[in-house]
Amino acid sequence: MTYCRNRPRLHLQRITTSNDLLYKYMESLLISSFPEEEYRPLDELRLFTRDKQCFYNHIILDGDNPVGFITYWMLSNFYYVEHFAMDKRYRNEGYGKETINQLCERIHPIVLEVEIPNNNLAQRRIEFYLRQGFILWNNFYVQPPYKPGNAAVPMYLMNYGKLNPANDFERVKEEIYREIYNIENLIEN
């Protein structure tokens, strides 16, 4: 690991669509980091970044150098992390851990989706969040489709902070579905 303690502390910079270079960097990293069915249409993302005050689109910077991005929503009584990705050139250098630690210091409780751990990469992601203090909720959950014609994706929720899957799962799921995916109910098989 080449993580260097002497480098400038990472910081999150909220961007808008007028931050042309940083916004293009974020879009490019989103496309290269996630399957197409796991992110919304780019024109809709631009609209949310520009117009929705409860949506936060941040570039992760080391000094002036972009190393990743994170997007999240401020909902009724929790924050929902929609996407988080580090540039592949900077993975395994401590940037992800430092980013999540900073985010957890600023906002909580936090909820996010993770893939079902049926491959090594998905298991490593879950283990990463567990090491940062997140709790895995084993409740049945699907990520609704972002685009017409796409299938729902089986996932798990994880949280950091004072939420409990036994008491809060249904309320959290319904709010995510309504506010993030713009649906009232999703029939789950």
Side-chain angles (χ1 to χ4, degrees), residues 88-104:
K88 66 182 175 185
R89 296 172 294 178
Y90 303 107
R91 290 183 187 149
N92 299 312
E93 295 189 22
Y95 288 110
K97 177 182 178 180
E98 190 173 337
T99 299
I100 292 299
N101 287 340
Q102 281 189 33
L103 194 67
C104 290

Side-chain angles (χ1 to χ4, degrees), residues 1 3 5 7 10 60 84 86 90 92-105 128-129 131-132 134:
M1 180 156 91
Y3 180 70
R5 293 258 180 226
R7 71 172 181 227
L10 286 185
I60 303 161
F84 172 46
M86 300 307 299
Y90 303 107
N92 299 312
E93 295 189 22
Y95 288 110
K97 177 182 178 180
E98 190 173 337
T99 299
I100 292 299
N101 287 340
Q102 281 189 33
L103 194 67
C104 290
E105 287 173 10
F128 166 80
Y129 287 114
R131 286 191 305 272
Q132 309 319 311
F134 281 74

Side-chain angles (χ1 to χ4, degrees), residues 119-156:
N119 64 53
N120 188 42
L121 185 57
Q123 183 61 43
R124 286 180 54 213
R125 277 194 193 105
I126 290 172
E127 289 169 3
F128 166 80
Y129 287 114
L130 290 171
R131 286 191 305 272
Q132 309 319 311
F134 281 74
I135 296 168
L136 180 65
W137 293 7
N138 288 312
N139 308 69
F140 181 78
Y141 176 85
V142 295
Q143 178 190 68
Y146 275 109
K147 300 167 188 127
N150 283 1
V153 180
M155 298 265 193
Y156 282 132

